[in-house]
Structures are given as structure tokens and as C-alpha cells.
Amino acid sequence: MTTQFFRFIPLLALSLSGLFFVSPAAAQSLTSCTMTYKLSGWSFVYKQYDGLGNISCSNGQRAQVALASKSIGFTIGKSEIEGTGVFSEVRNLNEIYGSFVAFEGHAGATKSIDGQLLTRGEISLALSGKGRGIDIGVTLGALTISPR
């Protein structure tokens, strides 16, 4: 019986050590973030839209951001878009700032819709919005997110 007890001690010690030490992976836990935004602008082969957004993350972090979108492609029009965005998981809010490569499609005649898929390395962002204006197009470009 004592032999079984001594076999049990290393397992118990290993189990208890998990209560006091945090693994590196757990220390860098991920958070999910969403953004509400409003963009307005124009396009004629070149597309330029600027706007504002509010980001909130599941870990409690929040930020107001400035948005600048510049792209090129088959596009023409002018519109205002309000929508939501969903980021892939990040370690913290600061990883979201910077420029994302964007592939976008938009269309509208008085009521506009816009959808964008964006990426920057390991971080991706999907935007979808509705608004008003007259526009149509498909573009490739960049969206820059910066703190306000």
C-alpha cells in the first residue's frame, strides 16, 4: 500500500503545480473584438472613404478609431455606409491598429450595401454595412485603422 502511495505523490504534485503556474499559452489569452463604423466617400476607378468607428472587445477594452479606406478597381459612385465588423481573435486591442489589405464589393441606388474582407497577417476583419448613395464596384486596396 505504501508503494501505491509513493506513486501517487508525483501525480498529486504535478496536478497541484497547475494551480500555481500559468502556462505561456494561457498567459497570452485571446480576446474577440467587434466594431461599429460609419464611412462616407466617393469613387471613380479610385475609391476613397473616411470615417469613424467604435471597437469593443470581450476583455473589456474599448476604443474610438479613425478609418481611412483607399482602393482601386471597377468602381463609381458616392455613398455613406454604417455597419459592423468582426475581427479574428487578438491578444489585445493594440494589435488591431494599422493597415489591412481589403477586397471589397459595393452596390446601391439610393440604398447601398457594402461588404469587405480584410487581412493583415494573422488578423482578419469582415465588414458589412448598409447606407445610402449611388454606387457600384469591386475594388482592391487598404483600410487603415488608427486610434482617435
Side-chain angles (χ1 to χ4, degrees):
M1 185 163 186
T2 57
T3 308
Q4 291 176 344
F5 177 75
F6 287 114
R7 286 184 191 161
F8 178 73
I9 290 177
L11 293 174
L12 180 63
L14 186 61
S15 299
L16 290 175
S17 69
L19 296 175
F20 301 106
F21 299 104
V22 178
S23 72
Q28 296 181 2
S29 62
L30 299 176
T31 185
S32 57
C33 300
T34 58
M35 176 174 66
T36 57
Y37 68 92
K38 184 174 184 178
L39 287 168
S40 62
W42 59 272
S43 66
F44 183 74
V45 180
Y46 171 78
K47 180 179 177 194
Q48 181 171 340
Y49 277 55
D50 296 302
L52 302 173
N54 291 303
I55 297 175
S56 59
C57 301
S58 61
N59 66 0
Q61 292 179 311
R62 296 184 181 282
Q64 293 181 338
V65 295
L67 305 171
S69 176
K70 294 177 172 75
S71 56
I72 193 164
F74 168 73
T75 181
I76 188 168
K78 182 177 179 179
S79 63
E80 292 180 359
I81 302 291
E82 291 185 40
T84 59
V86 177
F87 292 90
S88 60
E89 290 187 322
V90 295
R91 286 179 202 83
N92 68 56
L93 182 66
N94 292 328
E95 290 186 328
I96 290 173
Y97 300 129
S99 294
F100 288 77
V101 174
F103 179 72
E104 178 213 9
H106 59 99
T110 66
K111 291 186 178 181
S112 292
I113 59 169
D114 182 80
Q116 295 186 44
L117 297 176
L118 306 104
T119 187
R120 188 182 81 229
E122 297 177 357
I123 302 169
S124 59
L125 168 61
L127 298 176
S128 62
K130 296 178 182 179
R132 59 180 184 216
I134 298 174
D135 62 320
I136 189 166
V138 176
T139 64
L140 181 63
L143 172 74
T144 301
I145 300 174
S146 54
R148 259 190 342 149

